[in-house]
Amino acid sequence: MSVHHTDPSPGADRAWGWVAHLRGGGTTPWHAWAGGAEPTARVLPGAQQLELLRRINIAESSDEPHRGRSHLSTRLADRVVTAAAPGRGKPDLPLVGVGPSAYGPLPVDPSLLPADELIRVATSVLAEDVVALGVPAPARQLPRSWRRDVRVVGNPLEAAHLRAYVVGRRPPSRKRAAVLVVGGPLDQMLADVWSRRCFERGSGAWLEWLRFWQQRGELPPRIDLPAVAARQLESHRGVRVVLDSSALPELLRVRRIRPPTRPGADAAELARRIATVVGLLVPSEVRAALMTETLLPRMPATDTPPVALPDEHRAWVGAAAHRMARQLRCAGYPVVGDPDSVLPLESSGSGASVAQGAASSELVLELAVRMLVDQTWKATKTEGSR
Amino acid sequence: MTSTVPLETGVRRVLLHVGTPKTGTSYLQDVLFRNRDLLREHGILYPADRFDGHFLAALDLMRLTWGGLETEAVGAWDRLAAEVRDWPHTSIISHEILSTASPTQIDRALTSFGDGVEVHLILSVRDLVRQVPAEWQENVKHRSLVSYTHFLEMIRDPARDTRIGSWFWGAQEIPDILDRWGAILPPEQVHLVTVPRPGAAPDELWRRFSGTFGLDGIDLDLTPERANPSLGVPETALLRLINKRVTSVVAPPDYRPLVRELLAHQTLSRRTKSARLGLPPATHEWVQELSRTWADEIQKRGYDVVGDLADLIGQPATTFTDPDTAPASDLLPASLDAIKALLVEGSRLRESEARLVRELDETRVELELARRSPAEKTVQAMQTHRSGRAALTAYRRLRRR
């Protein structure tokens, strides 16, 4: 298209100089920057994009001694400065001191931007990475027909983990298959189902999601164990609820079962935000596969504990757990383990890093920057058979 | 009215209408969509296969989430741009949320039309006296719990730190929208269509649109089928109270059809005799001053103005009904209408559910019949005839022996 050129605004050369500095791996904050340069694009990147790039450069330079910009880093820098900040947050913000403008959002000092604004940009780039990796081909398994047909449902995080132990068996046929409804303490099941949702099609934030179920007076369908069992009984004969994980190896006829890995609150929150952007890039069914099969197994481990139930939710969760225990005690199907095992654990398990049960934005940003800098996570192989 | 966009043939041209919201955009888009075949015969492409096609494209371009609708928007902008690139004449793109696009997104959009295309930016604008209350109503129709007073405080905060403040000015600050969208276009390719003042001829806005988009002389079907109707004061106040009760328990994909469409658009908007929302007197001076500044700025920039810049200086109503203090007695009639609408919808859904259950049962029976083993099929077939039953009896006696 034909372009109408206008004179650059005062201070723009300083901004373009900073852009060049950051694209070259520089870490100088905007307020300390003094150099200038010619424009290299039609549009000056927003403060969010530029500050994120500076944070990446800082992390990169502390990761290993700076030896000049690699080709990969230059490409990453270009992607970051042109990345759209998804969702309804702030618009791309102008840098303070670039030029007087009576209109538009107020210019900012990028070093003062809240972490959330930088996370928005980071998730845009990471979502593109996840989409580029694609959905892995299903692992080929030799059929192990001597094992029982079994269907595992219930707590989705545990069920998905246990399904890996039954891969290769004949597909469970209706009626003939045994059904194991796996569960545990309700507070942990809530944390698990939310964490799992973050790696499927996304979710509301942890506290907002908890409030949704509190106000509806219901439990998420997958962890309402009596309801799950009742549904399964309509089409299967051997339904049992398993609350004692030590019984699982025998029930699944395997020697031993490793405990499932629970994503930290920061990893789950970052995945939740990435899932939103992935949903803008691919159809819904592909999003779920990308999040579960591509991102989840590759997500870098962190020291942050999983999300925990905040104190204000203990009362309703406790009441729901007592109700569930009563229903399981009166159920006509076998329950492996003590029905009271669904009662919430006493300790919330949250530390300073997960105030109010959720990860702080700073922790989430730290993880996002780490994934942008150290891209070895992309090469991590997906979990295969055991 | 003569066309303000030159329409000589042989030039690839994109008429890009980017808002602002609440300026008759739904009506315009509806007319363009329903008449797209006729427009094509006149060399004008409106590239959409559903009425909200450009909304989805805008969501895709701007990576915006919209209560789950965004999942239908994957790749929509690239498809739209490809159609525009392939069309040798004039293409029209129109959606009001494009007004909030960032400079980077705008750059991507303009680049996506390819080389050698003449882009004309069209911005329809209305005075703030009507836009401010309309924007609050739109917020309420999108699950917001914010009171009118708080809304006004947020949009008057120069920091624009809140989501509401930031979105409002992104969609309504005319000089900024023109700065972002029109930065690389010559002023003669930027067209500002003003919404006429209250009391103007009913078709005046359409005449302005028609002239600007080069639609004069085309026999378009202008029957209004889709609009974004406004609500009265008690109706909006009621909707906000409903939001307080339901937003935490009704997910966005259910809220949109039940609350926004059924309650707001199809039920409450029909109550046209209630008080209309205006600006509180304390804001009149601020709004007038701001509007004058904008009108002066636009005048200086030399854009093509369709209508009158004086239209931007709205006249606040002399009376103001505060929605934040609407008495319960005012809300009652609207509440009863809302209950009635929900009960009718509930009955319809129950009927639909019963029909589905019947269909499911019939399918199950057919499935069971199809699953029968050959032996079962033989036995059941024999049981339908006397001779078959006799043969079965004989066979069973024989087996027992």
Side-chain angles (χ1 to χ4, degrees), chain A residues 126-187:
Chain A
L126 288 169
E128 287 168 1
D129 285 343
V130 173
V131 171
L133 285 169
V135 181
R140 295 185 66 181
Q141 294 284 329
L142 286 173
R144 286 176 275 187
S145 54
W146 61 91
R147 290 184 182 168
R148 292 179 60 197
D149 287 353
V150 67
R151 183 177 158 82
V152 189
V153 294
N155 180 351
L157 194 142
E158 291 210 36
H161 175 67
L162 293 173
R163 270 182 220 123
Y165 290 88
V166 295
V167 165
R169 300 180 194 187
R170 282 171 296 172
S173 62
R174 285 167 73 88
K175 295 191 176 173
R176 280 193 55 206
V179 179
L180 305 183
V181 183
V182 292
L186 186 53
D187 53 346

Side-chain angles (χ1 to χ4, degrees), chain B residues 120-363:
Chain B
H120 287 258
L121 182 77
I122 297 166
L123 188 69
S124 48
V125 295
R126 192 167 73 150
D127 61 81
L128 281 172
V129 170
R130 287 178 285 176
Q131 291 296 71
V132 170
E135 275 284 348
W136 178 66
Q137 277 196 0
E138 276 304 301
N139 272 274
V140 174
K141 286 195 280 180
H142 283 91
R143 301 168 66 90
S144 175
L145 314 179
V146 170
S147 70
Y148 193 35
T149 308
H150 190 200
F151 173 83
L152 291 167
E153 283 166 6
M154 283 193 278
I155 66 169
R156 292 187 72 173
D157 178 2
R160 302 182 187 179
D161 262 343
T162 57
R163 210 162 99 153
I164 283 180
S166 162
W167 180 267
F168 177 85
W169 293 112
Q172 295 294 346
E173 193 177 22
I174 301 167
D176 176 48
I177 297 168
L178 294 167
D179 275 343
R180 277 183 279 124
W181 275 101
I184 58 169
L185 297 174
E188 60 273 19
Q189 284 173 223
V190 177
H191 313 271
L192 211 73
V193 180
T194 64
V195 174
R197 296 173 185 206
D203 65 344
E204 177 57 25
L205 177 59
W206 174 252
R207 288 182 62 247
R208 292 179 186 181
F209 273 138
S210 177
T212 310
F213 285 95
L215 307 176
D216 288 349
I218 305 176
D219 188 20
L220 298 171
D221 174 7
L222 300 178
T223 317
E225 284 192 2
R226 209 173 278 279
N228 188 0
S230 63
L231 303 177
V233 172
E235 289 77 20
T236 318
L238 174 68
L239 201 56
R240 189 170 78 86
L241 289 178
I242 291 173
N243 286 348
K244 282 187 169 182
R245 296 289 175 100
V246 305
T247 47
S248 57
V249 287
V250 175
D254 293 326
Y255 180 93
R256 197 180 324 110
L258 290 174
V259 183
R260 181 176 160 81
E261 290 305 322
L262 176 67
L263 286 190
H265 287 170
Q266 293 167 29
T267 307
L268 299 176
S269 71
R270 290 185 182 161
R271 300 178 53 81
T272 52
K273 289 182 181 162
S274 52
R276 300 289 103 179
L277 185 61
L279 281 176
T283 61
H284 290 183
E285 197 182 323
W286 165 68
V287 163
Q288 296 286 303
E289 178 57 32
L290 191 59
S291 305
R292 279 194 203 95
T293 313
W294 289 3
D296 291 348
E297 176 71 24
I298 293 161
Q299 182 87 52
K300 269 189 255 168
R301 293 185 187 185
Y303 301 132
D304 171 38
V305 176
V306 185
D308 190 345
L309 277 182
D311 292 335
L312 282 179
I313 321 294
Q315 292 304 314
T318 47
T319 57
F320 170 67
T321 310
D322 186 355
D324 297 343
T325 56
S329 56
D330 283 3
L331 305 189
L332 183 62
S335 308
L336 293 173
D337 281 357
I339 291 168
K340 177 184 159 194
L342 288 171
L343 288 174
V344 169
E345 178 66 2
S347 308
R348 192 189 65 78
L349 290 175
R350 276 173 59 80
E351 204 174 294
S352 167
E353 186 188 0
R355 183 176 48 78
L356 290 172
V357 167
R358 271 198 311 277
E359 286 176 10
L360 190 61
D361 287 344
E362 288 165 11
T363 309

Side-chain angles (χ1 to χ4, degrees), chain A residues 9 18 42 45 76 92 121 170 187 227 239 253 260 298 300 363:
Chain A
S9 64
W18 196 48
R42 283 207 297 219
L76 175 66
D92 291 357
V121 180
R170 282 171 296 172
D187 53 346
V239 175
R253 297 193 182 167
R298 290 177 163 91
L363 275 178

Side-chain angles (χ1 to χ4, degrees), chain A residues 1 3-4 42-43 82 84 86-92 103-106 124 128 212 215-216 276 279-282, chain B residues 63-66 70 74 102-104 107 110-111 114-115 117 158 160-161 163 166 173 175-176 184-186 248-249 297:
Chain A
M1 59 164 285
V3 175
H4 175 71
R42 283 207 297 219
V43 175
T82 56
R88 276 209 199 191
K90 286 177 185 289
D92 291 357
Y103 305 101
L106 289 181
S124 207
E128 287 168 1
F212 176 85
Q215 307 239 330
R216 279 181 85 112
T276 304
L280 297 164
L281 304 177
V282 295
Chain B
R63 294 203 171 171
L64 271 179
T65 53
W66 208 277
E70 68 280 1
V74 175
S102 73
T104 309
D107 190 46
L110 297 179
T111 306
D115 293 330
V117 64
R160 302 182 187 179
D161 262 343
R163 210 162 99 153
S166 162
E173 193 177 22
D176 176 48
I184 58 169
L185 297 174
S248 57
V249 287
E297 176 71 24

Side-chain angles (χ1 to χ4, degrees), chain A residues 55-206:
Chain A
R55 304 285 179 99
I56 290 170
N57 291 342
I58 291 170
E60 201 169 37
S61 59
S62 64
D63 203 33
E64 58 181 274
H66 195 58
R67 295 187 300 269
R69 205 86 175 137
S70 70
H71 171 66
L72 185 70
S73 300
T74 309
R75 250 188 60 209
L76 175 66
D78 288 341
R79 289 178 61 209
V80 170
V81 295
T82 56
R88 276 209 199 191
K90 286 177 185 289
D92 291 357
L93 297 168
L95 298 169
V96 70
V98 167
S101 174
Y103 305 101
L106 289 181
V108 292
D109 175 349
S111 62
L112 302 178
L113 282 168
D116 272 330
E117 285 301 317
L118 308 187
I119 294 170
R120 283 177 64 217
V121 180
T123 53
S124 207
V125 181
L126 288 169
E128 287 168 1
D129 285 343
V130 173
V131 171
L133 285 169
V135 181
R140 295 185 66 181
Q141 294 284 329
L142 286 173
R144 286 176 275 187
S145 54
W146 61 91
R147 290 184 182 168
R148 292 179 60 197
D149 287 353
V150 67
R151 183 177 158 82
V152 189
V153 294
N155 180 351
L157 194 142
E158 291 210 36
H161 175 67
L162 293 173
R163 270 182 220 123
Y165 290 88
V166 295
V167 165
R169 300 180 194 187
R170 282 171 296 172
S173 62
R174 285 167 73 88
K175 295 191 176 173
R176 280 193 55 206
V179 179
L180 305 183
V181 183
V182 292
L186 186 53
D187 53 346
Q188 185 173 294
M189 285 202 290
L190 281 164
D192 283 353
V193 76
W194 180 80
S195 302
R196 182 74 189 175
R197 275 181 63 102
C198 294
F199 285 96
E200 292 171 342
R201 56 199 164 93
S203 169
W206 169 235

